[in-house]
Amino acid sequence: MIETQLTFLMSDVFGLDEVLTRQQYSHLDADQVSAILATGAKLANTAFAPIAAAIDTDEPEMRNGRAITHPSLRPALDSYAQLGLISTNLPLESGGLQLPALAGSALMAHFAAACTPAAGYVFMTAAAARLIAQHGNQWQRDTFVPPMLEGRWYGTMCLSEPQAGSSLGDVQTRATPRKDGTFSLRGQKMWISGGDHDLSENIVHLVMARLEGAPPGARGLSLFIVPRQRLDGTWNGVSLIGLNHKLGHRGTTNCALAFGADRECVGTLMGAPHKGLECMFHMMNEARIGVGTTAAATAYAAFRYALDYATTRRQGRRFGTAEPASLVDHPDVRRMLLLQKAISEGGLALALASARLLDDARTLPDEDERHAAAILLDLLTPVVKLWCSERGVEANSAAIQVMGGAGYVEDHPVERLYRDQRLNPIHEGTNGILSIDIIMRKARSAGGRGLQPLFQTIGRDAVARPWDSQLAVELSADLAHASKSLEQVCQRLAGPKADERETLANATPLALALGDLVVAWLWLKQVRVVDRRTDEFSTGKRAAASFFNRYVLLPSIALAVTLERAGAPHARLTPSEF
Amino acid sequence: MIETQLTFLMSDVFGLDEVLTRQQYSHLDADQVSAILATGAKLANTAFAPIAAAIDTDEPEMRNGRAITHPSLRPALDSYAQLGLISTNLPLESGGLQLPALAGSALMAHFAAACTPAAGYVFMTAAAARLIAQHGNQWQRDTFVPPMLEGRWYGTMCLSEPQAGSSLGDVQTRATPRKDGTFSLRGQKMWISGGDHDLSENIVHLVMARLEGAPPGARGLSLFIVPRQRLDGTWNGVSLIGLNHKLGHRGTTNCALAFGADRECVGTLMGAPHKGLECMFHMMNEARIGVGTTAAATAYAAFRYALDYATTRRQGRRFGTAEPASLVDHPDVRRMLLLQKAISEGGLALALASARLLDDARTLPDEDERHAAAILLDLLTPVVKLWCSERGVEANSAAIQVMGGAGYVEDHPVERLYRDQRLNPIHEGTNGILSIDIIMRKARSAGGRGLQPLFQTIGRDAVARPWDSQLAVELSADLAHASKSLEQVCQRLAGPKADERETLANATPLALALGDLVVAWLWLKQVRVVDRRTDEFSTGKRAAASFFNRYVLLPSIALAVTLERAGAPHARLTPSEF
């Protein structure tokens, strides 16, 4: 069960107890954190998991200009808000619980495993409230944060437009100053999750728009708080102009919105003019780690379902005997199950490792150590999102394959989880964009040595300890070798002498290999915790670590090495030559 | 367009003209074959492609015990039948067109690219009619084949049962002899594509069942022809008991059927008693190549759509400039497009290579050469199905990713094609089962040298020719090296000294690598045809071949080599340790 995994990762691997000793968490003890997580887990299992199929099958509909959601959705979300869970990641002074990120991520994973499309509404609301708490002025904080934390008002982020998806520099929505210091907004936004619905009294949109005379491109964007209803309760000119019908994630409305088309739409500026992107990056980084966490949990949910099915479904004979077998007895089925375990538990570890870095960057007493944690976190943020989503799709596909025809039909949740998962490589920055971020921007910084902090951290752990078991010794040696190899590939492909076009063309496979390396490191960490234990949980962890090492890490590094001579034959084709 | 690809492969790469010189095809000339293909292509584009979205959205429904299909489906299928296309692969003496398999596969690819779920009905009917023509007695041939070729009666294959999916040995449907030499059938069948519908006057089920006193297991199965309606027009006791709702392939009904539950169900034995599986293997092998062909075409259709979208959709700036770019200008998008091209065109080549081997095995004048072709075909049959479907899912996923959010919504066909494609690794023998077939059965035959004919054939072509271009020389050298490496891995992992459980556990990744090798060989063949040409088509082929070599083959062989020390850590876990 995911509870067991998350507790193990939080407490045994990533040291929640130590984090709780920090001054910022002095209002909490371990029992309180456990109680909050147990409450969350219970709600996820009893209110979210049971509605997952229904909100997928009966998609939201557009009626009289509003998005109408499934009736089972609101009660689940209301319970979430009533338990105060929207506020877990907000600081005390904003009325939040100020939970460590480690615990906050675990909480998120519970709900994501149960029903991501439902939880999406409150996840986004929490992220938006947090951004306002951090960057809003006093009036904005007082006005918007409390009703959001109470779940009476929900939040969104409005970046993309019909003509500007990944290319934020082309955002055209305009903001014009009004006499009273507010702004009048005009434009269209696209792909807005939770952009309209019937779940809350109001919807608080955080809208990227351009002020008159702003510098061109993404550096000329400003951020505005634009509620769907004005504070007097009248409509604020935000119109729902379309509802997207998606492959998965169907319970979350996804909207095309028009601002100021049918009535003046009034918003207030948050942060400094033209600094919207910097401000929004806080929310986007949080959202990226959130997507990674969600992707890992989605893979894990499918894995557990497929494992249960494989354990109970009789099929064929045990190898070399006439005894009836279950699916799980067949070596190829085991391979697919262990692949899912290695990816999904590896992904959860990656998500919680980032959360721990977030805690460290915020709360370590020593400033240099905080800074070091922040640097590592900055490197890992795109990796968490792209790795968990990319490998997550593989894992969710394997869950279908384990079940054969049964995996392909809607009687079982694995086909739905596969559809849900397929969103994750796309939203909150496509995996291509994130790969470019890590390889073109981060790796190439510091004269091509931008990834050094990561390689050094991994290298330090990849030294066998005197008390390491044979497995840990093997994993350490392979990890050390893999890290060295990948560092060399990165130096050549992303170093200062590399052909930039070729680097760009190879960024995605390289970033994925980097993710494999990071997750292999986290598997070694997990193995060291269970190294001498003989219980079933520990045996499974060792098998998954070994599997990951041999079936994911080593092939991946071998692949990365072949990239060095790949030379990007696609870099120079014209469209009609394809 | 797929027409261009198929003509190139059929004529320039796989020598249709030479095949047409064979005595069995003396009733045809190249112009006639072209005319048939052109007619097929036109019908596919005008009658099948336009209904693809509708038959997916409005799924078949069960009403009054029958499966009711979308009203647009029947007219399209009737046109297919009226043009005589169901009969293309049947011999002249059965009323068929006796088209070379090469042309038959190309025809299939046209319809699969347009709308596989529609074409499935007539593909299965053709395969069933062909089996009856080959194995039926005079009465069976006279009774069933003509109305099937006319499209008045459709066909199915009924193997799986609720408790027996991949494990055919556990089939429980019983056949009891009646006094008049016919048989009474009783049992349930599951996952029957086209098992019920309102598209034809009758449905001819080919049913695997067990005779009283039959040997246990798969070797005790017999094959029966069981029409839904008896010849007097009354119902024959085949009941529709459930309709599966699937992730994709929604236009094709997929049924649970009961035989003899509500009325006696009468069938006739086809072939010898207990020899049903041998008989059915003909149809299954044909179906496997068919699934591979379909998978390649499904990937190709999505690739072309994504390419068009990427060419017209403006987004971002050209690398290093301020000029507006289209998606296709971005290196990472090109990588994903060329991956799709390399996989889908490679898959079409693999499908047509098998078709050519089928023609050779049937029509080469020399018996030894026919035998050699049959052996290669036998090795390639599982590879075609598993490779095209496995890599096809990757390609279809890349089509979504190229389009970003637009790829994830139902406004564009790529999400549907992705869902359709996901069936292909499952049906007609899961890819796991096929991998075991090729690695455990075929590779290990002849004292572990069962794959020799394939490695030798590839090895002969992997020698650079004096007139080869630099690219062809590079591809030859890499192919020779890859072939040698993979041969060694196979000898160790599937050789007589290998641990069988470990071989089983590694069969799937090994089989996929073998497929990569075969497709790399076929890319070299394509490059040799266009080697000195300077047109856009040829430039694109060279780029795709180079991309396949560097981004698929080399990493894949590197991966296969790592399998040697993998040691299958999953082989010995208990279910509760997962």
Side-chain angles (χ1 to χ4, degrees):
Chain A
M1 291 292 78
I2 200 163
E3 283 84 342
T4 321
Q5 291 298 329
L6 293 169
T7 304
F8 168 74
L9 290 169
M10 245 184 357
S11 303
D12 298 357
V13 182
F14 296 115
L16 178 65
D17 284 349
E18 190 204 321
V19 171
L20 284 174
T21 63
R22 312 241 171 105
Q23 180 257 318
Q24 287 88 340
Y25 302 125
S26 56
H27 62 294
L28 288 167
D29 64 28
D31 288 347
Q32 285 170 308
V33 173
S34 294
I36 293 168
L37 285 168
T39 305
K42 191 176 163 200
L43 183 69
N45 292 334
T46 56
F48 281 69
I51 67 171
I55 70 169
D56 178 77
T57 306
D58 298 328
E59 276 187 85
E61 276 174 39
M62 198 166 154
R63 237 180 278 154
N64 302 323
R66 293 303 306 262
I68 310 301
T69 64
H70 193 277
S72 70
L73 194 50
R74 183 153 189 170
L77 296 176
D78 283 350
S79 308
Y80 186 96
Q82 280 152 18
L83 287 170
L85 297 177
I86 297 180
S87 80
T88 48
N89 281 348
L90 271 90
L92 287 172
E93 68 266 23
S94 309
L97 284 177
Q98 199 164 312
L99 214 56
L102 204 43
S105 287
L107 194 66
M108 174 179 250
H110 276 299
F111 285 94
C115 183
T116 299
Y121 294 98
V122 278
F123 290 169
M124 283 181 300
T125 300
R130 191 176 162 79
L131 197 73
I132 298 173
Q134 233 168 355
H135 294 278
N137 58 33
Q138 183 73 43
W139 178 83
Q140 288 169 330
R141 294 199 304 271
D142 291 348
T143 306
F144 295 103
V145 174
M148 292 174 84
L149 296 193
E150 290 163 25
R152 294 190 292 111
W153 297 6
Y154 280 179
T156 76
M157 53 197 281
C158 299
L159 281 74
S160 297
E161 299 185 356
Q163 82 297 340
S166 293
S167 177
L168 285 181
D170 295 318
V171 157
Q172 289 174 357
T173 296
R174 300 270 154 193
T176 317
R178 300 168 83 240
K179 283 186 193 146
D180 61 358
T182 62
F183 293 82
S184 182
L185 282 105
R186 252 189 114 84
Q188 290 191 5
K189 292 289 176 181
M190 184 60 172
W191 309 122
I192 308 308
S193 290
D196 195 57
H197 53 70
D198 51 359
L199 299 166
S200 60
E201 295 166 22
N202 201 353
I203 304 173
V204 180
H205 301 290
L206 301 182
V207 181
M208 280 294 205
R210 201 176 288 284
L211 286 165
E212 189 91 11
R219 303 281 155 200
L221 296 175
S222 306
L223 187 56
F224 297 86
I225 304 182
V226 184
R228 187 184 185 281
Q229 268 103 243
R230 297 179 187 171
L231 302 186
D232 63 9
T234 63
W235 179 55
N236 190 29
V238 184
S239 314
L240 175 67
I241 53 178
L243 211 49
N244 290 309
H245 293 279
K246 310 187 295 301
L247 173 59
H249 244 254
R250 290 188 180 153
T252 306
T253 58
N254 187 276
C255 307
L257 298 177
F259 291 81
D262 303 310
R263 185 186 183 186
E264 187 180 22
C265 177
V266 181
T268 53
L269 178 68
M270 183 157 73
H274 320 319
K275 299 290 180 195
L277 207 60
E278 281 159 55
C279 188
M280 187 57 105
F281 260 125
H282 283 100
M283 184 165 171
M284 279 164 70
N285 279 333
E286 197 177 325
R288 283 167 185 177
I289 294 177
V291 170
T293 309
T294 296
T298 302
Y300 190 78
F303 160 53
R304 295 301 307 198
Y305 193 93
L307 175 61
D308 281 351
Y309 184 89
T311 306
T312 51
R313 167 79 175 170
R314 292 283 185 164
Q315 197 73 186
R317 304 283 171 275
R318 273 171 194 275
F319 178 69
T321 76
E323 280 174 68
S326 296
L327 280 178
V328 74
D329 296 318
H330 299 291
D332 192 55
V333 172
R334 287 163 167 268
R335 179 187 61 77
M336 294 189 279
L337 288 169
L338 211 51
L339 177 71
Q340 292 170 66
K341 181 179 172 76
I343 289 173
S344 60
E345 296 179 11
L348 291 173
L350 181 53
L352 293 201
S354 319
R356 168 68 199 247
L357 286 172
L358 193 56
D359 282 323
D360 285 352
R362 283 181 193 156
T363 67
L364 273 173
D366 181 82
E367 192 186 331
D368 288 348
E369 288 185 18
R370 282 204 303 279
H371 183 65
I375 285 180
L376 263 186
L377 177 63
D378 186 50
L379 293 179
L380 282 193
T381 298
V383 175
V384 180
K385 193 278 191 182
L386 79 88
W387 190 90
C388 292
S389 62
E390 202 75 21
R391 293 285 182 219
V393 171
E394 284 177 45
N396 281 88
S397 185
I400 290 180
Q401 195 68 17
V402 160
M403 296 177 57
Y408 195 70
V409 291
E410 66 182 26
D411 310 48
H412 302 282
V414 295
E415 67 87 23
R416 167 168 50 78
L417 292 166
Y418 179 65
R419 289 187 283 106
D420 286 352
Q421 183 71 286
R422 189 60 191 78
L423 174 62
N424 292 322
I426 299 171
H427 67 161
E428 308 301 346
T430 66
N431 285 359
I433 297 274
L434 297 183
S435 298
I436 290 169
D437 173 45
I438 187 144
I439 300 301
M440 292 300 283
R441 198 170 305 136
K442 290 172 177 168
R444 300 204 312 169
S445 67
R449 299 173 58 79
L451 298 178
Q452 281 309 306
L454 184 58
F455 288 124
Q456 277 164 3
T457 305
I458 292 174
R460 271 195 300 274
D461 279 348
V463 176
R465 315 283 160 85
W467 53 85
D468 271 349
S469 68
Q470 196 187 335
L471 174 61
V473 170
E474 177 198 320
L475 297 181
S476 309
D478 284 343
L479 184 65
H481 184 257
S483 182
K484 271 269 168 305
S485 303
L486 197 58
E487 193 177 343
Q488 285 167 6
V489 174
C490 285
Q491 272 165 9
R492 279 173 224 153
L493 280 178
K497 287 188 205 150
D499 173 326
E500 288 194 1
R501 198 184 287 259
E502 221 178 290
T503 311
L504 263 176
N506 286 313
T508 296
L510 204 50
L512 187 64
L514 192 67
D516 291 331
L517 181 76
V518 171
V519 175
W521 164 53
L522 299 175
W523 270 113
L524 173 59
K525 271 188 189 290
Q526 294 184 66
V527 161
R528 285 200 170 127
V529 172
V530 300
D531 214 2
R532 303 285 172 187
R533 298 186 194 163
T534 55
D535 56 301
E536 289 181 332
F537 178 87
S538 304
T539 305
K541 282 286 177 194
R542 283 193 293 270
S546 175
F547 184 92
F548 190 88
N549 187 50
R550 296 172 181 196
Y551 287 83
V552 182
L553 178 68
L554 298 183
S556 174
I557 300 303
L559 187 159
V561 169
T562 67
L563 290 179
E564 287 196 54
R565 64 158 276 214
H570 45 304
R572 277 157 243 271
L573 279 189
T574 66
S576 48
E577 288 167 349
F578 270 91
Chain B
M1 291 291 80
I2 199 162
E3 282 84 343
T4 321
Q5 290 298 329
L6 292 168
T7 304
F8 168 74
L9 289 169
M10 244 183 359
S11 303
D12 297 357
V13 182
F14 296 114
L16 179 64
D17 284 349
E18 190 205 319
V19 172
L20 285 172
T21 62
R22 311 239 172 105
Q23 179 257 319
Q24 287 88 338
Y25 301 126
S26 57
H27 61 295
L28 288 167
D29 63 28
D31 288 346
Q32 286 170 306
V33 173
S34 294
I36 293 169
L37 285 169
T39 305
K42 191 175 163 200
L43 184 69
N45 293 333
T46 57
F48 281 67
I51 67 171
I55 70 169
D56 177 76
T57 306
D58 298 329
E59 276 188 85
E61 275 173 40
M62 197 165 155
R63 237 181 276 153
N64 303 323
R66 293 303 306 264
I68 309 302
T69 63
H70 194 277
S72 70
L73 194 50
R74 182 150 189 172
L77 295 175
D78 283 350
S79 307
Y80 186 97
Q82 279 152 21
L83 286 170
L85 297 178
I86 297 180
S87 81
T88 49
N89 282 349
L90 270 90
L92 287 172
E93 67 266 24
S94 308
L97 283 177
Q98 199 164 314
L99 214 56
L102 204 43
S105 288
L107 194 66
M108 174 179 250
H110 277 299
F111 285 93
C115 184
T116 299
Y121 294 98
V122 280
F123 290 170
M124 281 181 301
T125 300
R130 192 176 160 79
L131 197 74
I132 299 173
Q134 233 169 355
H135 295 277
N137 59 33
Q138 184 72 43
W139 178 84
Q140 288 169 329
R141 295 199 304 271
D142 291 348
T143 305
F144 294 103
V145 174
M148 291 174 84
L149 297 193
E150 290 162 23
R152 293 190 293 113
W153 297 5
Y154 280 179
T156 76
M157 53 199 278
C158 299
L159 281 73
S160 297
E161 299 186 354
Q163 83 297 343
S166 293
S167 177
L168 286 181
D170 294 319
V171 158
Q172 289 174 356
T173 297
R174 301 270 152 194
T176 317
R178 300 168 82 242
K179 284 186 190 145
D180 61 358
T182 61
F183 293 81
S184 183
L185 283 104
R186 254 190 113 84
Q188 291 191 3
K189 291 289 177 181
M190 184 60 175
W191 309 122
I192 309 308
S193 289
D196 195 58
H197 53 71
D198 52 358
L199 299 165
S200 62
E201 296 165 20
N202 203 351
I203 304 174
V204 180
H205 301 290
L206 302 182
V207 180
M208 280 294 202
R210 201 177 288 283
L211 285 165
E212 188 92 11
R219 303 281 156 200
L221 296 173
S222 306
L223 188 56
F224 298 86
I225 305 181
V226 184
R228 186 183 185 283
Q229 269 103 245
R230 296 179 186 170
L231 302 184
D232 63 10
T234 62
W235 180 55
N236 189 30
V238 184
S239 314
L240 175 66
I241 52 177
L243 211 49
N244 291 310
H245 294 279
K246 309 187 295 300
L247 173 58
H249 244 256
R250 291 188 180 154
T252 306
T253 59
N254 187 276
C255 309
L257 298 176
F259 292 81
D262 303 310
R263 185 188 181 185
E264 187 179 22
C265 175
V266 181
T268 53
L269 178 68
M270 182 157 75
H274 320 318
K275 298 290 180 195
L277 207 60
E278 281 159 54
C279 190
M280 187 57 105
F281 260 125
H282 283 100
M283 184 167 171
M284 278 165 70
N285 280 333
E286 198 175 322
R288 283 167 185 179
I289 294 176
V291 170
T293 310
T294 295
T298 301
Y300 191 78
F303 160 53
R304 295 302 305 197
Y305 192 92
L307 175 61
D308 281 351
Y309 184 89
T311 307
T312 50
R313 167 80 175 170
R314 292 286 186 162
Q315 197 73 185
R317 306 283 171 277
R318 273 172 194 276
F319 178 69
T321 77
E323 279 174 68
S326 296
L327 280 178
V328 74
D329 295 317
H330 299 290
D332 192 56
V333 172
R334 286 163 169 268
R335 179 188 61 79
M336 293 188 279
L337 289 169
L338 210 52
L339 177 71
Q340 292 171 66
K341 182 178 171 75
I343 289 174
S344 61
E345 295 178 12
L348 291 172
L350 181 54
L352 294 200
S354 319
R356 168 67 198 248
L357 285 172
L358 193 56
D359 282 324
D360 285 352
R362 283 181 193 156
T363 67
L364 273 172
D366 181 80
E367 194 189 330
D368 288 346
E369 290 185 17
R370 282 204 302 279
H371 183 65
I375 284 180
L376 263 187
L377 177 63
D378 186 48
L379 294 178
L380 282 192
T381 298
V383 176
V384 179
K385 193 276 189 183
L386 79 89
W387 190 89
C388 292
S389 61
E390 202 74 23
R391 293 285 184 218
V393 171
E394 285 177 44
N396 281 86
S397 185
I400 289 180
Q401 195 68 16
V402 161
M403 295 177 58
Y408 195 70
V409 291
E410 66 182 28
D411 311 48
H412 301 282
V414 295
E415 66 88 22
R416 168 168 48 78
L417 292 165
Y418 179 65
R419 289 187 283 107
D420 286 353
Q421 183 71 287
R422 189 62 191 77
L423 175 61
N424 292 321
I426 299 170
H427 67 162
E428 307 301 347
T430 66
N431 285 0
I433 298 276
L434 297 183
S435 298
I436 291 169
D437 173 46
I438 187 145
I439 301 301
M440 293 299 285
R441 198 169 304 136
K442 290 172 177 166
R444 301 204 310 168
S445 68
R449 300 173 57 80
L451 298 178
Q452 281 307 307
L454 184 58
F455 288 124
Q456 278 165 2
T457 306
I458 292 174
R460 272 196 300 275
D461 278 349
V463 176
R465 315 282 160 85
W467 53 86
D468 271 350
S469 67
Q470 195 186 336
L471 173 62
V473 170
E474 177 197 320
L475 298 181
S476 308
D478 284 343
L479 184 65
H481 184 258
S483 182
K484 271 270 168 304
S485 302
L486 197 57
E487 193 178 342
Q488 284 166 7
V489 174
C490 284
Q491 271 164 11
R492 278 172 228 155
L493 280 178
K497 286 186 207 151
D499 173 328
E500 289 194 0
R501 198 184 287 257
E502 218 179 293
T503 311
L504 263 176
N506 286 313
T508 296
L510 205 50
L512 187 63
L514 192 68
D516 291 331
L517 181 76
V518 171
V519 174
W521 164 53
L522 299 174
W523 270 114
L524 173 60
K525 271 188 189 289
Q526 294 183 66
V527 161
R528 284 197 169 127
V529 172
V530 301
D531 215 2
R532 303 287 172 187
R533 298 185 194 164
T534 55
D535 56 300
E536 289 181 332
F537 178 87
S538 303
T539 306
K541 281 287 180 195
R542 282 192 293 270
S546 175
F547 185 92
F548 190 88
N549 187 51
R550 296 173 182 195
Y551 287 84
V552 183
L553 178 68
L554 298 184
S556 173
I557 300 303
L559 186 159
V561 169
T562 67
L563 290 180
E564 286 195 56
R565 64 159 272 216
H570 46 304
R572 277 158 242 269
L573 279 189
T574 66
S576 49
E577 289 167 349
F578 271 93

